[in-house]
């Protein structure tokens, strides 16, 4: 059931830590690849060697004990995981997660990861019911952290009540159901579709130390990629220069110039169902790229620029089954220019943002867009987060592909 799934198991210091051995073993038996991080307190209850033997991999306890000089362990593990499972989770780690503290290997990795997190609490009943712990768990749940509720019964401390770590086989079932939900997304609107999203700005080199680029942070493209994934699509990101972190778990091809982006996009075009060009592509590049640093000489310097290939226009020409979504970053006459681009580049939809509006366009976490098709305005979206904007755009594309005209 869990074949090939990468599970990062965090073990914290409670008496239930001994059950982590059985949990680790069962996850491995189900085909999961398991890596373990233990807190220092956890090592008082169960030995590293036990979990190392059961997981068949190194056990991490110390942020500064870098086992492989080629990587930074907590970042590497954070990026590696398909799921982070903390079992047992003490009140302490739950509090640290809620507060965003990072003072050991586990808490640091938890801040660094963008993988989904599942927490199986285990503690004394009064600790579990403490308002601070309840508040922390609610806070985490609101952030999307999943919980495996503790069981009720006789606790190690002698009290009877809620706080006993759920049995390892039950935790494994919850993990399996989670992955089933993810995979069993056949009902999702973009299941089986391949979506290619371009993000960020291109870099056009002048010489080895200078280049022309623009203010695109990649946020809009990254949000679109995430929204496409949420709808069940297989997603590929092609990203130029970006300031914001790309979403974890989505394949990413890094490119520099417009030409690189064109080649990458073309390479995936045949197999894609939807292509979204959110990238800000330089229209021009230096006619000559000096292979040496250009020296300061006269009072002025003139750079000759030549036109770049228009990627979207080329894709529009080659289009067969692909649903093509362009973006238009405008400062004036937004509708006129957007519709002109839509027709010229043979797009199915164009998303226009007036980049002079506050909260819209480059670098912001929000956007304000109008979406057009060949017949005119389809949808006008108010100031929304780029994630919400992306969900609306992908929802519309999914409806159009399914033939439900909106
Ligand atoms: O990355 P962020 O900081 O989140 O900012 C988001 C954004 C403002 C970059 C994004 O919302 C946006 O508007 N992207 C398109 C920017 C742009 O280049 O617009 P344009 O009007 O110059 O180009 C129109 C379309 O043609 C775009 O889809 C562009 O990707 C494409 N194009 C342009 C030139 C070119 N040589 N090749 C292209 O494919």
């Amino acid at each position: 059931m869990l074949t090939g799934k990468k599970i990062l198991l965090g073990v914290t210091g409670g008496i239930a830590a001994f059950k982590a051995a059985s949990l680790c073993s069962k996850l491995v038996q189900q085909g999961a690849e398991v890596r373990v991080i233990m807190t220092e307190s956890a090592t008082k209850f169960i030995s590293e060697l036990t979990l190392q033997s059961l997981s068949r991999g190194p056990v991490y306890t110390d942020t500064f004990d870098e086992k492989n000089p080629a990587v930074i362990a907590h970042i590497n593990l954070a990026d590696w995981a398909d799921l982070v499972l903390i079992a047992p989770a003490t009140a302490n780690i739950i509090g640290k997660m809620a507060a965003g503290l990072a003072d050991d290997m586990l808490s640091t990795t938890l801040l660094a990861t963008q993988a989904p997190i599942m927490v199986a609490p285990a503690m004394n009943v009064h600790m579990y019911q403490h308002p601070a712990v309840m508040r922390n768990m609610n806070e985490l749940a609101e952030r999307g952290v999943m919980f495996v509720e503790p069981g009720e019964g006789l606790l190690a401390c002698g009290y009877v009540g809620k706080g006993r770590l759920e049995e390892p086989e039950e935790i494994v079932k919850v993990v399996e159901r989670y992955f089933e939900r993810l995979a069993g997304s056949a009902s999702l609107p973009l299941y089986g579709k391949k979506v290619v999203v371009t993000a960020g700005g291109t870099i056009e080199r002048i010489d080895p130390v200078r280049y022309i680029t623009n203010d695109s942070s990649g946020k809009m493209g990254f949000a679109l990629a995430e929204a496409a994934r949420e709808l069940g699509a297989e997603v590929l990101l092609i990203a130029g220069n970006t300031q914001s972190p790309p979403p974890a778990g989505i394949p990413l091809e890094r490119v520099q110039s417009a030409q690189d982006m064109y080649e990458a996009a073309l390479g995936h075009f045949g197999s894609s169902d939807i292509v979204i060009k959110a990238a800000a592509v330089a229209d021009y590049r230096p006619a000559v790229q000096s292979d040496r640093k250009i020296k300061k000489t006269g009072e002025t310097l003139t750079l000759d620029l030549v036109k770049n290939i228009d990627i979207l226009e080329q894709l529009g020409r080659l289009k067969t089954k692909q649903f093509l979504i362009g973006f238009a970053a405008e400062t004036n006459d937004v509708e006129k220019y957007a519709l002109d681009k839509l027709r010229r580049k043979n797009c199915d939809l164009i998303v226009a943002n007036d980049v002079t509006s506050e909260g819209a366009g480059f670098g912001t976490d929000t956007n304000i867009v109008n979406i057009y098709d060949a017949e005119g305005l389809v949808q006008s979206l108010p100031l929304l987060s780029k994630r919400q904007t992306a969900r609306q755009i992908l929802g519309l594309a999914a409806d159009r592909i399914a033939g439900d005209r909106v």
Side-chain angles (χ1 to χ4, degrees):
M1 293 295 285
L2 297 176
T3 304
K5 299 290 179 271
K6 297 177 183 135
I7 299 176
L8 182 58
L9 177 62
V11 182
T12 66
I15 182 63
F18 79 92
K19 290 190 185 174
S22 161
L23 175 60
C24 178
S25 164
K26 287 183 192 324
L27 290 169
V28 171
Q29 282 166 32
Q30 292 302 315
E33 242 186 280
V34 181
R35 295 278 173 276
V36 180
I37 300 180
M38 298 174 79
T39 60
E40 204 195 326
S41 336
T43 63
K44 311 262 193 250
F45 291 95
I46 178 171
S47 85
E48 283 171 60
L49 186 59
T50 303
L51 289 170
Q52 179 183 303
S53 310
L54 292 168
S55 68
R56 297 170 204 157
V59 169
Y60 300 81
T61 51
D62 181 353
T63 327
F64 302 103
D65 177 20
E66 294 288 6
K67 296 176 196 301
N68 174 0
V71 294
I72 299 167
H74 66 278
I75 303 295
N76 200 36
L77 286 169
D79 290 345
W80 170 86
D82 293 320
L83 175 74
V84 183
L85 170 65
I86 309 172
T90 56
N92 186 48
I93 190 70
I94 290 170
K96 286 206 275 191
M97 287 169 74
L101 298 181
D103 64 352
D104 64 7
M105 181 66 186
L106 181 59
S107 51
T108 308
T109 309
L110 283 165
L111 269 194
T113 194
Q114 289 187 296
I117 301 174
M118 195 178 276
V119 168
M123 63 196 80
N124 162 274
V125 58
H126 296 146
M127 289 170 81
Y128 186 75
Q129 288 169 351
H130 194 285
V133 176
M134 283 289 158
R135 183 200 55 212
N136 289 338
M137 289 195 292
N138 287 338
E139 159 84 28
L140 292 176
E142 268 176 35
R143 281 191 228 151
V145 170
M146 298 169 276
F147 280 87
V148 184
E149 289 283 300
E152 283 190 40
L154 181 64
L155 305 175
C157 53
Y159 278 93
V160 174
K162 195 166 178 178
R164 199 173 63 186
L165 181 70
E166 184 57 280
E167 289 309 314
E169 41 284 335
E170 287 308 313
I171 298 177
V172 173
K173 277 188 201 154
V174 176
V175 171
E176 283 174 344
R177 276 202 296 274
Y178 162 74
F179 281 112
E180 266 169 28
R181 256 202 327 274
L182 268 191
S185 42
S187 57
L188 290 173
L190 291 181
Y191 179 74
K193 303 286 180 201
K194 179 169 171 187
V195 177
V196 174
V197 180
T198 68
T202 60
I203 282 182
E204 309 298 335
R205 285 250 157 236
I206 299 169
D207 69 13
V209 295
R210 303 181 180 96
Y211 54 78
I212 300 171
T213 188
N214 57 62
D215 286 329
S216 175
S217 62
K219 287 178 186 172
M220 191 67 242
F222 292 164
L224 287 158
E226 282 186 281
R229 177 173 59 180
E230 278 171 21
L231 294 187
E234 175 197 342
V235 186
L236 173 78
L237 257 169
I238 300 173
N241 191 28
T242 59
Q243 272 78 52
S244 71
I250 296 185
L252 169 70
E253 277 187 31
R254 281 283 178 193
V255 293
Q256 285 217 334
S257 64
Q259 184 62 31
D260 297 340
M261 187 172 276
Y262 171 61
E263 282 163 23
L266 195 61
H268 295 281
F269 194 59
S271 59
S272 49
D273 299 288
I274 301 178
V275 176
I276 312 179
K277 289 280 314 39
V281 183
D283 289 323
Y284 294 89
R285 69 180 182 281
V288 179
Q289 279 181 33
S290 172
D291 53 10
R292 293 185 169 190
K293 185 180 171 194
I294 297 173
K295 286 294 169 202
K296 183 166 57 181
T297 49
E299 285 308 305
T300 60
L301 172 74
T302 305
L303 276 179
D304 273 336
L305 301 178
V306 291
K307 213 172 187 178
N308 270 331
I309 191 162
D310 191 310
I311 306 166
L312 188 54
E313 198 173 314
Q314 290 302 319
L315 298 182
R317 282 197 191 128
L318 295 171
K319 178 169 103 167
T320 51
K321 55 162 188 171
Q322 293 84 358
F323 192 87
L324 204 53
I325 306 179
F327 267 71
E330 307 296 347
T331 55
N332 56 288
D333 299 309
V334 177
E335 176 163 332
K336 182 175 135 211
Y337 289 132
L339 285 173
D340 173 61
K341 282 175 187 170
L342 173 103
R343 287 169 192 140
R344 211 159 24 85
K345 305 189 188 204
N346 196 19
C347 297
D348 295 281
L349 293 174
I350 198 144
V351 181
N353 33 202
D354 180 345
V355 294
T356 60
S357 299
E358 195 165 335
F362 293 94
T364 51
D365 290 324
T366 53
N367 212 349
I368 307 166
V369 304
N370 282 344
I371 309 173
Y372 299 92
D373 68 6
E375 286 158 26
L377 183 66
V378 178
Q379 229 176 325
S380 193
L381 299 180
L383 180 77
L384 293 173
S385 70
K386 280 184 174 162
R387 277 177 180 223
Q388 288 170 303
T389 306
R391 286 190 190 119
Q392 296 281 340
I393 295 168
L394 264 304
L396 181 60
D399 288 343
R400 293 257 165 142
I401 286 179
D404 308 333
R405 198 160 177 80
V406 179

